[in-house]
Structure formats: C-alpha cells, structure tokens
Amino acid sequence: MHPNKIPPPETSLAGRAARTATGVALALGLATAGAATAQADEDPIKVGILHSLSGTMAISETSLRDVALMTIEDINENGGLLGRELEPVVMDPGSDWPTYAEHAREMIERENVDVIFGSWTSVSREAVLPVLEELNGLMFYPVQYEGEESSRNIFYTGAAPNQQTLPGVEYLMSEEGGGAERFFLVGTDYVFPRTTNRIVRAYLNAHGISDDAIEEVYFPFEHEDFQTLVSDIDSFSQDGPTAVINTINGDSNVAFYQELANQGIDPIDIPVLATSVGEEELRGMDTDPLAGHLAAWNYFMSIETPENERFTERWMEYVEQEGLSGGSDRVTNDPMEATHIGMRMWAQAVLQAGTTDVDAVRQAVYGQCVDAPSGFEVCMDDENHHLHKPVIIGEIQPDGQFFPVWETDDVVRAEPWSDYVEGNEDRVANWRYPWVCGDCEEPTYGLSF
C-alpha cells in the first residue's frame, strides 16, 4: 500500500462525535448545569502532574508540565469543573524510573488526586502502571509508544506504532520518501526502542526487506559519543539506499544529531526519521545542518489551522505571563498537544459523569472528541483507550520547525497489539464495561468496578 493511501478506521467516529462535546469551551459551558447536580463539595479537584523536570528527560518533559498547568488555568478561569477549581499537584521524578511509581502512589494515597497526567518513557509508564491498577488510579499518558500494552487505568493519547513509526517506514520505502532498501535502527536501550524496532523489523521482513539489510544498535540513556555509530551508518549505506529510524530518547539526541552534522550526513542520501525528536528537542540544537531530516508525529507547531493558531497563541501568551525560561523561543510539539487533548477529554468526561469518581469518569471518556490543534477531530476509541489520530511526517527546517511533507487523509485507529508481533492474532483490547480485557485472547468478565 502506498503510504498516502492509509485507510481510515473501519468504523467512522462522525456519528459518535455528535453525541459528545467537541471542544473544551463547549464542555466548560456545561459546568454550571453540572454543578447543580454535583455533590456540594467545594474542595478543589486535585490533578497530578508527574513529569521529570530534572535529569536526562527534562529536555522533553518540562514543557508537558507547563502546558498542563496552562490548561488547568484555562479551565479554572472558565469556572472550573462541577463548581470546583482544579488544583495541580506537581512532582518531579528526576528521570529516575522507580521514583515515578513512588510519586504516583504518593499522589493517589496522600494527595488524593483524581487523575494523573504524566510519564514520557515507557519504562516510567510501566513503573507507574501497577500502582494505578492496585489503587484504581487513572492516568493519561501523552507520548508515542511501542504498544503491546492495554490497561483499564491508562488512556494513551500518544501514538501507537501504526499511527507513527510504521507509516514513517512505509513513507521511506516509497518513491516519494526516497525508496529506502536498507534500514539502520538506532535507539536508547530500553523497552520502547527495542519493542518498536522488533515491530519495524517484522514489518520490513513482511515487505521484502531481509535481515541482512537491517542493522540495529542501542545505547544507554545520556550516551554522548556517536562518532563510531555515524561512521557505521555511512558505511552501511554504501550497499544501497538507506534510511535511519531514530528511537533515541532524551538529551542524547543533541549529541547524535551534532555528530550527523559533523560527518556531513546528507538527508537526501541518508534520511533520519525520528520518533522522539520534536520542536522542543530541536530548540537545543543547531538545525541548519540538520535540515531535511524527518520526524513522524501526529502534530507539528507549523501546521496552519485555526485550532493551532489559537493553541500556539495561547501558549506564547502563557509563556510570557509566567516568565517561562526560553521566552519567545518556546515552542509547541506533539506530546504537548496530546497532553492538552487528554486534559480536555478528561474535563468533558467529568462533566458528563457529574463526578470525579474514577470508574464513572473512565466510562465517560469513551467516545469523547476534541477539535485538535492538528486540524482533525480527534476521538477516544470506544474500546481500547487510545485516540484515533492523523499521521504526519515533517521535514526539519533551518529555523527548528518542521515542514509537513505527508499526512493521512483521515484519522487512524490505534492498534495496541501489533499484527506484526507473533501471538497477537487473537489479542483483544476492549475495556468497555462489562467486557474487560488487556493481555488476553478472549474478552473476559471478572473485574470488580
């Protein structure tokens, strides 16, 4: 299939959209009516924000804290929810994965938060997951990930592999994307890159690319010496048209892209497609020599839509208002949009449920829709806790922005269990009550709500 012919979901969400609020303004407009039926509780609604503000992941996660606080401020300025203000509870796990779990427990047990927005890496999400399931907490996870997971306590507002990495690979294999016949997979040594690349390898094998045309290398977090790697990529490319899939996370990307520039890797000859590098990461790099390399996301700051104009203008207003570091150089990016979408959907679900009770809100999230900054109406799937999202491939520009070079015609339904992983054929991700199931072959009853 040619990449710009990715089909839309089999079941259109257009009908469901009519039954749900499509924007936070509309949702907030219901607050007065919702307050009349809510319990007479004037205590604030506590919202957990769990992102690293220090350590290797601070380069990516700090802006998610900031956009979450901005969205909370907007909700409060419009009257809050159910007649109550939102109160953020911010904790910094310091890029230490066990600390994410400790803070999540503290948020739920001691701070009594009603929801958590947080995590970036899959290892941090996996650390938090058992705490959420033990305590019946609720978290919205805003970052693209490897799939192969389904929890009734998490809503995944980032992309699954079929909404980011696989369309990116397909684009690189197409004539439009350069006709790559060889692939160099480079990532940070943890679950997201390794699982994603296992899916990518199976996808490539299924499309005629043999293992001897695929190289795979991993590095620890905070790794900085990529001289040998880039030299190896250059040598590997001598045997045919080559593309690089970059799943490096954190500030190691600064060193990797700098070495690409140092060794004169031309994106026309060897395009590098990133899955964790967006506008925020580029802010710390000299992007002139990187122009032409690619990233696959579901949103870019440069997209010209009325919704994005409002989003970016509000963001810059908030940056100035709060005196955030970076000032006018601050940017928006995909995980920020996903955070904003998730918070709006949660707010709409609270109003629909008339309560912040986790079980009630969870059910109310299904089918919620938002007119997203991407310009697409983005809806939560009725079953699998993932968003239906567009796929957009952007090319790095000298100014640190991305120019969209390709996008799907419609939103794409997430596939939590990839068809390219052996054993997934009969797996189900359906959390709509009373069918409850995660890593299983048949929908099962049995969980107590």
Side-chain angles (χ1 to χ4, degrees):
M1 181 190 306
H2 191 275
N4 64 5
K5 297 300 182 182
I6 293 177
E10 292 182 5
T11 302
S12 171
L13 291 173
R16 287 195 287 268
R19 304 196 305 268
T20 58
T22 58
V24 74
L26 176 58
L28 296 174
L30 298 174
T32 302
T37 59
Q39 293 179 341
D41 186 352
E42 297 182 356
D43 291 338
I45 298 170
K46 291 189 175 183
V47 175
I49 300 174
L50 184 60
H51 283 300
S52 286
L53 312 177
S54 56
T56 189
M57 293 310 302
I59 186 176
S60 299
E61 295 193 58
T62 300
S63 285
L64 303 194
R65 182 273 313 267
D66 295 337
V67 77
L69 292 176
M70 179 192 81
T71 307
I72 287 173
E73 180 179 287
D74 289 346
I75 292 173
N76 284 338
E77 287 182 353
N78 282 276
L81 300 175
L82 308 177
R84 302 162 62 189
E85 282 204 341
L86 304 188
E87 178 184 316
V89 176
V90 180
M91 294 188 182
D92 172 19
S95 303
D96 179 67
W97 319 132
T99 304
Y100 280 85
E102 294 168 9
H103 284 346
R105 183 175 294 278
E106 184 178 0
M107 283 181 171
I108 297 170
E109 289 189 324
R110 193 179 77 184
E111 297 295 336
N112 296 313
V113 302
D114 291 296
V115 66
I116 296 173
F117 294 89
S119 293
W120 180 291
T121 65
S122 287
V123 67
S124 66
R125 185 195 68 253
E126 289 184 345
V128 171
L129 190 151
V131 176
L132 296 170
E133 294 186 339
E134 175 194 344
L135 303 177
N136 195 30
L138 187 65
M139 185 172 81
F140 284 73
Y141 174 67
V143 185
Q144 92 296 342
Y145 83 122
E146 70 282 357
E148 307 308 298
E149 177 180 295
S150 179
S151 172
R152 78 184 186 108
N153 294 88
I154 296 179
F155 283 98
Y156 307 79
T157 58
N162 73 301
Q163 296 173 310
Q164 185 197 31
T165 312
L166 295 187
V169 171
E170 189 174 2
Y171 173 79
L172 292 169
M173 294 173 68
S174 72
E175 182 178 353
E176 180 184 4
E181 298 173 358
R182 297 170 63 79
F183 284 82
F184 205 111
L185 315 180
V186 54
T188 304
D189 192 5
Y190 77 107
V191 62
F192 164 62
R194 285 193 174 274
T195 304
T196 295
N197 287 332
R198 178 160 58 100
I199 294 170
V200 168
R201 182 180 289 272
Y203 177 89
L204 290 171
N205 291 163
H207 289 78
I209 305 294
S210 61
D211 282 335
D212 60 5
I214 304 170
E215 189 61 72
E216 197 169 338
V217 178
Y218 297 94
F219 297 90
F221 280 99
E222 301 183 77
H223 187 78
E224 293 185 351
D225 183 3
F226 291 99
Q227 184 173 354
T228 299
L229 168 68
V230 173
S231 178
D232 289 345
I233 290 172
D234 191 28
S235 297
F236 183 78
S237 72
Q238 302 306 308
D239 291 328
T242 297
V244 177
I245 304 298
N246 171 23
T247 52
I248 295 172
N249 265 253
D251 50 15
S252 291
N253 274 299
V254 176
F256 174 56
Y257 279 93
Q258 183 60 56
E259 190 59 40
L260 290 173
N262 290 345
Q263 296 194 31
I265 298 299
D266 190 328
I268 294 178
D269 299 326
I270 309 174
V272 176
L273 183 138
T275 61
S276 294
V277 175
E279 293 86 345
E280 185 64 24
E281 289 75 22
L282 290 182
R283 208 160 59 88
M285 304 181 196
D286 177 8
T287 52
D288 272 333
L290 304 182
H293 288 302
L294 305 166
W297 290 101
N298 312 112
Y299 163 86
F300 290 109
M301 183 178 182
S302 59
I303 291 172
E304 297 181 359
T305 67
E307 296 85 359
N308 194 38
E309 183 177 358
R310 289 192 292 271
F311 180 55
T312 54
E313 286 182 356
R314 171 62 181 127
W315 169 243
M316 297 312 300
E317 175 187 277
Y318 183 78
V319 167
E320 181 178 1
Q321 167 193 313
E322 298 298 318
L324 299 184
S325 62
S328 60
D329 290 333
R330 292 295 290 267
V331 294
T332 60
N333 64 14
D334 181 286
M336 290 172 68
E337 189 213 30
T339 296
H340 186 63
I341 289 171
M343 298 192 85
R344 289 168 63 178
M345 286 188 171
W346 172 78
Q348 291 171 187
V350 167
L351 294 173
Q352 181 173 318
T355 176
T356 59
D357 176 78
V358 166
D359 291 327
V361 171
R362 179 191 297 111
Q363 295 299 310
V365 172
Y366 301 141
Q368 293 288 349
C369 295
V370 165
D371 289 327
S374 65
F376 288 79
E377 184 181 58
V378 171
C379 298
M380 182 62 67
D381 192 76
D382 278 351
E383 299 177 351
N384 68 23
H385 281 209
H386 289 68
L387 293 181
H388 295 211
K389 308 188 78 173
V391 186
I392 308 169
I393 294 175
E395 185 178 278
I396 297 174
Q397 302 298 293
D399 64 357
Q401 289 291 322
F402 288 86
F403 177 76
V405 296
W406 175 90
E407 68 179 30
T408 51
D409 294 329
D410 203 345
V411 293
V412 177
R413 185 176 190 258
E415 296 174 0
W417 304 108
S418 175
D419 291 340
Y420 294 96
V421 173
E422 186 176 354
N424 279 355
E425 295 81 5
D426 299 317
R427 293 199 190 279
V428 178
N430 185 344
W431 290 105
R432 194 169 182 86
Y433 182 82
W435 296 98
V436 288
C437 156
D439 182 5
C440 56
E441 296 182 355
E442 299 275 345
T444 58
Y445 293 102
L447 288 181
S448 176
F449 284 80

